[in-house]
Amino acid sequence: EEEIDSYNRILAIRSLVFNLDEDYEHHLDLAKICRKEDKFINCLHVLNRLNRKLDFNEKSVKIKVELNINKCLYENNKQDEAINNLKRIIDEEINNINNSLKSRVYSYYGLWNIEKNNKNLNEGIVKSISSDLQLSTKYDSRNYKAWHNYGLLNYKYFDYLLNTKKELKSSINLIHFASNSLSGFTNSVCIGGANISKTLQDLLRLIDIWFSMGDKLEIDELINNAINIIDLDSWLLVIPQLLARVVIIEERIKNSLVKLLKKIGNNHPRALIYPLVVMNKSKSKKRRNAAEIILKEMRTKHKILIEESSLIIEELNRCAMLLHEDWGEAIEESAKLYYQSNDINGMIKILM
């Protein structure tokens, strides 16, 4: 309330110098503040005043005001009216406005239709909304919300087909929606950059599709493209998830995963060095081998760092593991070999 009053006073002072046509953007900012504070009557009052008094020499200004009115209506539980108003703008006036505003109109129209149909999505609805969101990205390729919602919509339907309808992974439908989702998330992560609030969930969904469908050639190509264009700083957010799958069986997934980890290791060695050195001392031969492949690549550039990290981890383990704990673990392992595998030589080797 105090912020709204302060902004009103500032606009009153500015009106002494600027007319409304020159200063309408600040009135739109006031309407946005009112909307965020759930002061919908105040918000509509500001916007309707702009609608009445502005001299709309540019069609884009008129549509910008109408878009803000519809955002207010939508948040004030008048969703159908807001959606119908945007539909009218798209049908009658979309060609008369600039590309940036076209992108915003299509983006909100797509988002609101997703929310409206969230509980009864079907293939036809998903493709129709995807078409609107694609138009949004066509008019502004840097529109984060459009790419994010495009990826999320297709991901939801992909997940529905995979887990509810139990479609085969070779299904053309499944690959189609997985590909669309990857395309959306790749672009949204590129635009979001290192902003965790924007990129983390998109990256986790991208990884989910990768490890579910990455053995398919079409998906593998999209993943390799994502590895090439997404900033390495973004991948740092999901290093634990990547390392957890490093022993995956599918050859295509494993190759692209190792490629990404090598790339991270060469450019951000400190982000990977400790988990890799620990993994290299794992009892699992597969995990040791996977870690060694990446460490071998890293040694070409960061040999001293790896040697020093190995020494630190070895000493930390020595400090952390008490003698009786070490003995207890050895006895437990040797007992498993003797009673479960009947491996007497293996048991003696551990105990000696």
Side-chain angles (χ1 to χ4, degrees):
E1 188 71 48
E2 188 177 332
E3 187 179 3
I4 294 171
D5 291 340
S6 299
Y7 213 97
N8 264 318
R9 287 195 291 272
I10 292 169
L11 289 178
I13 295 169
R14 289 179 66 87
S15 68
L16 299 173
V17 181
F18 302 104
N19 63 42
L20 198 57
D21 288 327
E22 296 172 314
D23 204 33
Y24 75 91
E25 289 281 4
H26 289 95
H27 289 264
L28 290 178
D29 289 339
L30 173 60
K32 182 179 179 180
I33 294 170
C34 293
R35 194 178 77 246
K36 295 295 183 186
E37 296 290 330
D38 293 338
K39 306 290 184 183
F40 299 115
I41 294 175
N42 295 7
C43 177
L44 286 173
H45 174 74
V46 173
L47 294 169
N48 286 329
R49 180 170 172 271
L50 284 176
N51 231 358
R52 288 193 309 271
K53 294 194 174 184
L54 274 179
D55 181 15
F56 293 116
N57 294 322
E58 284 187 42
K59 200 73 172 176
S60 292
V61 176
K62 177 177 182 292
I63 300 303
K64 191 181 286 187
V65 174
E66 287 188 14
L67 178 59
N68 278 276
I69 290 172
N70 287 309
K71 285 161 74 173
C72 183
L73 291 173
Y74 189 86
E75 292 187 24
N76 195 23
N77 296 319
K78 295 180 181 178
Q79 288 87 350
D80 289 340
E81 183 181 348
I83 292 170
N84 290 336
N85 288 341
L86 284 195
K87 176 64 175 168
R88 179 191 58 77
I89 291 172
I90 288 170
D91 291 341
E92 298 174 9
E93 303 182 83
I94 199 71
N95 293 325
N96 301 320
I97 59 180
N98 61 52
N99 284 349
S100 176
L101 192 53
K102 283 179 186 176
S103 177
R104 290 179 63 201
V105 170
Y106 277 115
S107 178
Y108 278 106
Y109 185 65
L111 171 61
W112 293 347
N113 273 304
I114 291 173
E115 292 175 354
K116 179 182 178 181
N117 296 286
N118 192 39
K119 293 183 179 178
N120 58 341
L121 286 176
N122 58 51
E123 189 172 329
I125 290 173
V126 171
K127 287 184 175 178
S128 174
I129 299 174
S130 291
S131 176
D132 292 323
L133 292 170
Q134 280 180 309
L135 284 170
S136 178
T137 61
K138 173 188 171 185
Y139 290 119
D140 181 5
S141 61
R142 301 291 297 171
N143 188 331
Y144 167 80
K145 285 185 178 178
W147 282 119
H148 167 76
N149 289 319
Y150 178 70
L152 187 59
L153 172 66
N154 282 277
Y155 175 80
K156 283 182 177 178
Y157 200 64
F158 157 78
D159 190 55
Y160 167 75
L161 291 176
L162 187 64
N163 297 313
T164 308
K165 285 203 162 186
K166 306 292 184 185
E167 288 218 11
L168 296 174
K169 287 189 178 182
S170 57
S171 158
I172 295 174
N173 245 11
L174 203 60
I175 294 172
H176 170 75
F177 290 110
S179 299
N180 287 350
S181 184
L182 282 176
S183 175
F185 289 142
T186 298
N187 282 284
S188 68
V189 171
C190 285
I191 296 166
N195 186 332
I196 296 177
S197 64
K198 285 186 174 181
T199 58
L200 181 56
Q201 290 302 317
D202 287 351
L203 261 179
L204 290 173
R205 294 184 185 107
L206 184 151
I207 287 172
D208 183 38
I209 298 171
W210 179 8
F211 294 142
S212 299
M213 301 285 291
D215 55 326
K216 303 291 176 288
L217 179 61
E218 301 93 324
I219 303 299
D220 185 56
E221 288 174 352
L222 288 169
I223 288 296
N224 278 288
N225 178 57
I227 290 170
N228 291 331
I229 66 174
I230 291 176
D231 192 277
L232 285 178
D233 287 348
S234 299
W235 289 111
L236 297 181
L237 300 172
V238 291
I239 281 177
Q241 288 81 359
L242 297 175
L243 290 175
R245 297 298 190 101
V246 79
V247 292
I248 199 162
I249 297 171
E250 286 81 358
E251 197 65 27
R252 280 195 178 122
I253 301 175
K254 187 173 182 179
N255 288 342
S256 53
L257 179 56
V258 169
K259 173 187 172 182
L260 173 58
L261 289 170
K262 283 180 177 179
K263 195 174 178 182
I264 295 171
N266 283 328
N267 291 277
H268 297 282
R270 287 168 182 78
L272 269 186
I273 186 66
Y274 284 109
L276 280 178
V277 171
V278 171
M279 191 188 298
N280 199 34
K281 298 182 181 299
S282 169
K283 291 177 182 177
S284 164
K285 187 177 179 181
K286 288 182 180 179
R287 292 184 72 78
R288 287 200 308 273
N289 290 342
E292 186 54 41
I293 290 170
I294 302 161
L295 285 170
K296 186 178 179 182
E297 176 79 15
M298 290 174 66
R299 281 191 186 97
T300 58
K301 290 185 178 181
H302 309 288
K303 185 178 179 182
I304 294 174
L305 178 65
I306 292 172
E307 288 175 355
E308 290 176 349
S309 301
S310 298
L311 180 61
I312 290 169
I313 287 172
E314 193 172 323
E315 292 305 315
L316 285 173
N317 283 339
R318 196 192 304 274
C319 295
M321 182 70 78
L322 298 176
L323 188 59
H324 70 270
E325 290 175 337
D326 209 8
W327 268 98
E329 186 178 349
I331 290 169
E332 188 178 338
E333 288 297 317
S334 61
K336 283 180 183 177
L337 288 173
Y338 181 77
Y339 290 110
Q340 294 178 9
S341 307
N342 199 27
D343 183 359
I344 296 173
N345 290 331
M347 175 197 73
I348 292 172
K349 187 177 179 182
I350 288 176
L351 292 175
M352 295 298 290

